[in-house]
Amino acid sequence: MLSVRLERLNDLDEWRGKARRLLVAGMKPSQVVWRVGSEESGLFEAGDDMLPNTDGPIGSVPRQFMDLATDVIQHSDPQRFAILYRLLWRLQDDKHILANAADGDSSLLTRMASGVHRDAHKMKAFVRFRTVEHEGDERYIAWFEPEHFTLEATAPFFSRRFAGMHWAIITPYASAFWDKENLRFGPGGNKKDIPAEGAVEDDWRTYYGAIFNPARLKVAMMKSEMPVKYWRNLPEADRIAPLIRNARQMEEDMIARATTQPPARHMRRKAREVTEETQPIQSLGDAAEAIEGCRRCPLYEHATQTVFGEGPENADVMFVGEQPGDQEDLAGRPFIGPAGQVFDDAIKTADIDRRRLYVTNAVKHFKFVPRGKRRIHQSPSAREIQACRFWLDLEREFVRPKIIVALGASAAQSLVGKAVSISRMRGAPIDLDDGSVLYITNHPSYLLRIPDPETRAKEREKFEADLALIRAHMERLEKS
Ligand code: URA
């Protein structure tokens, strides 16, 4: 048995170097044990110094594997190096393993990568800085306990977001330091060494109180978004219980005032600090991350979250709706509410598989007016559609669909650049500048709003006829 020693627990380059040498030496996964740092070797393990020190040729490695490995290497499962090597070994003979969702290794790695994504997301959401005086200057320090080894990959997010602050994030396994210019990493720390609470924590409490909207309080959802185990490190945690207790009264007060809470001064200041412009957007993933900080129009202020598009990055067909509705806003996914149900039924009738579509909206935040406990949909303005076009253009640039379908007037306006009549434009494809073609049809929620069953049935037929044209176009693409 060969013991391969890695110095660092989440360094993909180091793992890749060793894995390459193992492959060149023809070492089977079952002959290798991976050890990290000073972890002891077993009695019958030989050291890896006998490995050929060569970069000899290995078969090409699919890009998808390297993307997965970038995430999986950060997972806390001690088996991650071995599982990655096993899959790399198998890929030498079969390049298509990753496309097989039923493959055990491939689905295990995908699940591990999702766990790492979730952990990075939690870190972005739940890190809270405290102020520390240092030679008359203010420093910011935060303690965080990630589940996986995600600090190194996530820290650049904080240096972009808090570029003008001296900060440190300390975790049990590593720490990150930003001095307004350079990001450096060091060893892990101890929670008890983190300085006591300072002024910035008071800011966080005010901020949290301001964004806490009792009309949307769902304790179970809140717990799943902000798991209880993170609460103890959050300065606002001591506010959560009283806020939950008082939620009903607050909600009634809000309704009585017939208005939503004006955003607090802190919230506005925070909002200005978060801007997507500071980071280069080079992929659909970058765009999905950057849009979280979008302040191009005021709709972000009251929406629960951004709803970015979803579907394969190389989809031939992109469907564009208007904006997320109430359910989409809560779930963070497009077309999953009542309009999504109509959409799903209609594409099924047209024999279009949603899994092959990229589905998005012209506007990525829910626009509504509160009425009692309900949030009533409002159409986005031309200005809001125009502001959000930046994101739709990025989705088009990265997905490069050959067919784009505008569902309803707002989507058509975003894609054509001016208000258009659906009844006049539907049924015939329009050539767009990037070589794609645009089909315009009604929005599924239009069908939901027609009270007369006969008219509704007729409109549904027209909608399905439009989808049939699109299906026929998809077939032509498949054959070409
Ligand atoms: N309506 C839309 O336009 N998009 C959605 O995602 C949901 C409803």
Side-chain angles (χ1 to χ4, degrees):
M1 190 65 85
L2 183 75
S3 152
V4 177
R5 190 159 297 279
L6 297 170
E7 274 176 34
R8 287 170 298 273
L9 37 72
N10 56 0
D11 185 334
L12 184 62
D13 286 339
E14 190 188 13
W15 175 85
R16 189 166 46 182
K18 298 262 173 162
R20 170 183 274 274
R21 287 170 61 197
L22 288 170
L23 276 186
V24 172
M27 293 299 294
K28 292 193 187 126
S30 57
Q31 298 173 296
V32 179
V33 187
W34 294 83
R35 305 277 179 207
V36 194
S38 54
E39 190 188 342
E40 271 187 31
S41 299
L43 212 48
F44 301 105
E45 293 170 15
D48 60 10
D49 24 353
M50 53 69 73
L51 275 178
N53 211 351
T54 160
D55 264 0
I58 61 169
S60 69
V61 179
R63 160 98 197 275
Q64 204 189 344
F65 173 80
M66 291 318 296
D67 289 346
L68 263 183
T70 306
D71 294 330
V72 169
I73 205 85
Q74 301 169 50
H75 201 280
S76 54
D77 186 335
Q79 291 305 317
R80 63 193 175 284
F81 308 113
I83 304 168
L84 281 169
Y85 182 59
R86 189 165 67 216
L87 192 60
L88 181 64
W89 174 271
R90 293 178 58 214
L91 279 166
Q92 303 299 300
D93 290 331
D94 177 1
K95 293 276 174 281
H96 304 291
I97 299 173
L98 291 170
N100 176 6
D103 183 85
D105 284 339
S106 155
S107 66
L108 177 59
L109 288 188
T110 308
R111 276 202 308 281
M112 289 167 86
S114 304
V116 166
H117 282 176
R118 271 198 303 280
D119 200 43
H121 175 73
K122 301 282 185 242
M123 189 183 300
K124 289 176 191 170
F126 302 138
V127 156
R128 299 290 183 270
F129 289 102
R130 300 169 172 191
T131 35
V132 187
E133 279 291 314
H134 181 78
E135 296 169 356
D137 199 11
E138 240 173 7
R139 303 285 154 99
Y140 297 81
I141 187 158
W143 168 254
F144 190 75
E145 293 170 36
E147 239 174 82
H148 303 296
F149 304 120
T150 43
L151 179 65
E152 292 86 342
T154 314
F157 164 86
F158 291 96
S159 25
R160 287 193 299 266
R161 183 163 285 196
F162 302 114
M165 292 160 46
H166 264 274
W167 57 253
I169 300 174
I170 317 294
T171 78
Y173 85 93
S175 47
F177 303 90
W178 171 252
D179 62 6
K180 303 189 191 177
E181 278 181 12
N182 300 303
L183 185 59
R184 285 175 300 115
F185 295 97
N190 221 308
K191 184 173 184 188
K192 66 176 173 25
D193 298 333
I194 306 297
E197 135 168 351
V200 163
E201 297 220 342
D202 293 338
D203 281 0
W204 270 111
R205 287 211 178 85
T206 316
Y207 176 61
Y208 190 77
I211 59 170
F212 186 89
N213 180 346
R216 278 188 250 157
L217 178 61
K218 287 205 176 78
V219 178
M221 194 176 92
M222 189 162 147
K223 280 187 176 163
S224 77
E225 258 307 296
M226 185 192 281
V228 175
K229 72 173 182 153
Y230 291 96
W231 291 16
R232 64 198 153 105
N233 291 326
L234 297 178
E236 64 267 30
D238 59 1
R239 289 200 130 212
I240 292 173
L243 282 168
I244 290 174
R245 248 182 276 119
N246 298 336
R248 183 146 301 280
Q249 187 55 49
M250 281 170 72
E251 183 177 333
E252 279 163 17
D253 291 351
M254 274 170 65
I255 293 167
R257 283 202 304 277
T259 174
T260 47
Q261 301 270 25
R265 179 173 55 81
H266 289 270
M267 209 174 156
R268 285 200 292 269
R269 200 193 63 210
K270 284 278 160 209
R272 275 200 300 276
E273 281 171 11
V274 183
T275 155
E276 87 275 358
E277 323 283 355
T278 54
Q279 40 198 327
I281 298 174
Q282 282 157 350
S283 67
L284 196 60
D286 286 350
E289 190 174 304
I291 196 172
E292 299 295 333
C294 178
R295 304 294 184 255
R296 286 169 182 266
C297 80
L299 292 185
Y300 75 89
E301 285 182 39
H302 300 293
T304 307
Q305 58 191 311
T306 320
V307 179
F308 200 60
E310 67 175 24
E313 282 203 40
N314 58 353
D316 277 343
V317 188
M318 175 182 279
F319 275 80
V320 184
E322 182 193 67
Q323 59 161 338
D326 183 80
Q327 293 193 28
E328 287 81 8
D329 168 82
L330 293 174
R333 296 183 50 212
F335 280 103
I336 50 123
Q341 190 61 55
V342 176
F343 175 68
D344 283 347
D345 289 348
I347 57 171
K348 204 165 165 197
T349 308
D351 197 22
I352 297 174
D353 183 352
R354 178 158 174 171
R355 287 170 305 180
R356 291 177 54 198
L357 309 177
Y358 187 88
V359 179
T360 189
N361 283 298
V363 171
K364 312 290 197 241
H365 282 117
F366 180 32
K367 181 176 181 182
F368 63 93
V369 284
R371 192 161 306 145
K373 287 186 193 156
R374 297 183 56 216
R375 299 186 296 164
I376 309 297
H377 163 274
Q378 298 273 285
S379 296
S381 67
R383 217 192 65 71
E384 287 151 356
I385 293 172
Q386 174 57 27
C388 216
R389 195 170 151 179
F390 172 79
W391 299 108
L392 182 59
D393 284 348
L394 280 174
E395 287 174 300
R396 284 177 62 189
E397 186 181 320
F398 293 123
V399 178
R400 299 204 161 281
K402 300 189 177 81
I403 302 173
I404 303 182
V405 185
L407 296 168
S410 299
Q413 177 163 354
S414 176
L415 289 154
V416 177
K418 58 178 189 208
V420 295
S421 149
I422 295 179
S423 54
R424 250 183 276 137
M425 307 280 277
R426 75 191 310 172
I430 302 158
D431 291 328
L432 296 180
D433 289 346
D434 63 356
S436 60
V437 293
L438 172 67
Y439 284 87
I440 297 178
T441 183
N442 267 323
H443 193 284
S445 65
Y446 166 71
L447 302 176
L448 280 174
R449 287 195 305 268
I450 303 173
D452 172 41
E454 214 174 300
T455 320
R456 192 165 57 235
K458 274 197 192 131
E459 286 299 327
R460 187 176 173 114
E461 267 174 30
K462 285 196 216 161
F463 185 53
E464 285 174 1
D466 286 343
L467 292 176
L469 282 179
I470 293 155
R471 172 74 192 125
H473 199 140
M474 289 170 74
E475 262 169 37
R476 288 200 297 282
L477 281 181
E478 277 157 25
K479 285 188 192 134
S480 65

